[in-house]
Amino acid sequence: MAMANRRGGRSRSPPAAKSSSGEPAAAMSPSPSFPPDLLREIASRLTSLQDFFALRPLCRAALPLSLPNLASQAPLLLVPDAATASHALFHIRRGFLRFRLTRTHLTGEAADIHSLGCRVAVDLRGRCQLRIVHVLTGKRTRLPSPPNPFSGLLLSGDLVVAWNHLNLQYCRLGTPKWCVASVSDPYRLHDLIFVDDTLYALVNPGYRLAVVRLSDSGNNNSEELELEFLGGELDAQTFGQSLVFFLAECCGELILVTRPKHNYRRTFHVFRWQSEEQKWERITSLGGCAVFLANYRFAGCLGPDHRGIRGDCIYHTIPGLLRVHSLVDESVTECIINYPVGKVPMEFCQSVWIFPSMC
């Protein structure tokens, strides 16, 4: 993982741990007291990337950047730092990490960044370019910008989907040719999400749920988007009492998250889709899981008993602030994101969730 120091210098790896003799641990042979199986077991329990990269020099071959080794890693917030024209990583319990990503990983230019698990999508509109960047390895895949402006971006396998209220654009990472499908009147796309490789949409009017069928024709000319509606409109009570609506996923299940009107505590209500009854059912538990949102957009979900994460909670970020909403007692706790260097104007404090455990 190539990173830079606080002064925004040249990109480099985190410093290796040292032995008692002062020699870098990377130069030492794995000790018999630290067999690879034990190192992997230790790594799988670590909740900080700094700890992981301090352990890794003992035996790099035994500790690749893989899901088993990063299973307990806590999510991080990728936040901008105007003073160094780079991005810093914020640990929700430890604060800012000692290293930050440089423009070689992302960009020093103004750009929109979208969360994609352990990857991010960087929209370089000035260059008419879209980058998919793996945050841990720095590996980048470049795509041409979608033909139309977009407000949301999703990734499922090698399928990239960019969308706005009027149309949906999609392409494959290996075949960067965009196809466009437009929404027919009177429908408008409100939100989209992939759950088990199925693309769902929340469609207005009525906040109706639909499955989106994408054509394999490869036609880059606009065609009509095929929607298969499930159930009817959102019931009047839920619709009338809520201000914000968006789709999310929890342990493979499709959920709907809403924020009630006139609620000074800004708590959320959650509904699970009942496929047999074709309707939404209100729930007050996520089975110990935690759902992560950024600016009212779903970013990811972590399973129960994830170290350092409160279960049955919704982690939600707005510029400069992290809120944790408990579905059990409807309490809300807040954490201010203090930027490490200088003061970043609030309107530019776009934070993005990164999930090392989804590597």
Side-chain angles (χ1 to χ4, degrees):
M1 180 178 180
M3 294 184 178
N5 59 21
R6 279 193 176 276
R7 297 181 181 179
R10 294 179 59 186
S11 175
R12 60 183 178 87
S13 300
K18 293 186 177 181
S19 68
S20 58
S21 64
E23 292 298 320
M28 301 169 59
S29 299
S31 169
S33 60
F34 292 101
D37 287 347
L38 177 58
L39 290 175
R40 285 191 286 267
E41 177 66 21
I42 294 173
S44 69
R45 296 174 180 271
L46 298 177
T47 60
S48 168
L49 280 178
Q50 286 178 283
D51 294 340
F52 175 81
F53 280 101
L55 178 68
R56 195 168 182 239
L58 293 177
C59 186
R60 287 181 176 272
L63 297 177
L65 298 173
S66 62
L67 177 58
N69 293 332
L70 299 167
S72 295
Q73 286 293 322
L76 306 169
L77 281 170
L78 181 67
V79 295
D81 183 353
T84 60
S86 64
H87 288 75
L89 289 172
F90 180 81
H91 191 288
I92 58 179
R93 297 186 66 188
R94 301 189 180 191
F96 279 92
L97 301 186
R98 205 167 46 151
F99 308 97
R100 65 168 45 80
L101 300 179
T102 67
R103 67 183 64 192
T104 60
H105 287 79
L106 300 176
T107 174
E109 308 166 54
D112 290 331
I113 302 179
H114 303 261
S115 176
L116 301 173
C118 60
R119 291 178 285 186
V120 295
V122 184
D123 180 19
L124 294 169
R125 286 168 294 180
R127 295 190 187 181
C128 295
Q129 185 184 111
L130 184 68
R131 293 180 185 173
I132 308 296
V133 183
H134 193 296
V135 176
L136 299 186
T137 66
K139 180 181 178 181
R140 294 177 292 179
T141 301
R142 297 183 181 183
L143 300 170
S145 289
N148 301 312
F150 61 93
S151 58
L153 192 137
L154 303 172
L155 179 65
S156 178
D158 65 346
L159 178 62
V160 183
V161 173
W163 62 275
N164 58 35
H165 296 306
L166 298 175
N167 58 61
L168 184 149
Q169 306 157 90
Y170 56 100
C171 74
R172 300 281 179 180
L173 292 179
T175 310
K177 180 180 179 181
W178 291 96
C179 301
V180 181
S182 300
V183 183
S184 59
D185 287 332
Y187 302 118
R188 295 292 181 266
L189 298 176
H190 180 78
D191 198 14
L192 282 91
I193 190 173
F194 275 104
V195 178
D196 291 335
D197 297 325
T198 298
L199 182 57
Y200 293 94
L202 199 60
V203 182
N204 275 325
Y207 295 99
R208 298 181 65 186
L209 181 66
V211 172
V212 179
R213 307 294 184 188
L214 300 179
S215 171
D216 295 326
S217 63
N219 184 8
N220 60 355
N221 296 320
S222 183
E223 57 187 32
E224 185 175 326
L225 186 65
E226 182 181 351
L227 299 172
E228 179 186 334
F229 287 99
L230 307 175
E233 296 186 359
L234 203 61
D235 67 87
Q237 183 178 9
T238 303
F239 177 82
Q241 293 181 353
S242 300
L243 181 65
V244 176
F245 305 82
F246 50 91
L247 297 173
E249 177 267 332
C250 182
C251 294
E253 292 189 311
L254 178 65
I255 60 176
L256 172 70
V257 182
T258 72
R259 199 189 80 189
K261 296 178 181 177
H262 313 302
N263 189 329
Y264 75 97
R265 297 168 72 186
R266 301 187 178 220
T267 56
F268 291 99
H269 290 171
V270 179
F271 302 81
R272 179 172 51 208
W273 178 249
Q274 300 293 320
S275 56
E276 293 184 0
E277 293 82 4
Q278 294 280 287
K279 65 178 184 180
W280 296 104
E281 177 190 40
R282 172 81 185 275
I283 59 175
T284 56
S285 171
L286 296 172
C289 299
V291 169
F292 294 81
L293 314 173
N295 300 316
Y296 298 111
R297 187 65 55 81
F298 174 72
C301 174
L302 292 179
D305 302 322
H306 196 96
R307 294 175 178 84
I309 301 299
R310 291 174 56 189
D312 296 311
C313 287
I314 294 178
Y315 286 72
H316 171 51
T317 66
I318 59 176
L321 192 66
L322 168 64
R323 289 194 177 106
V324 182
H325 304 250
S326 171
L327 296 181
V328 177
D329 57 13
E330 295 192 341
S331 64
V332 179
T333 59
E334 295 184 343
C335 173
I336 297 176
I337 304 174
N338 293 313
Y339 291 86
V341 181
K343 182 179 179 181
V344 183
M346 291 296 289
E347 61 268 27
F348 298 114
C349 296
Q350 179 195 23
S351 55
V352 177
W353 285 108
I354 303 296
F355 297 88
S357 61
M358 295 181 185
C359 185

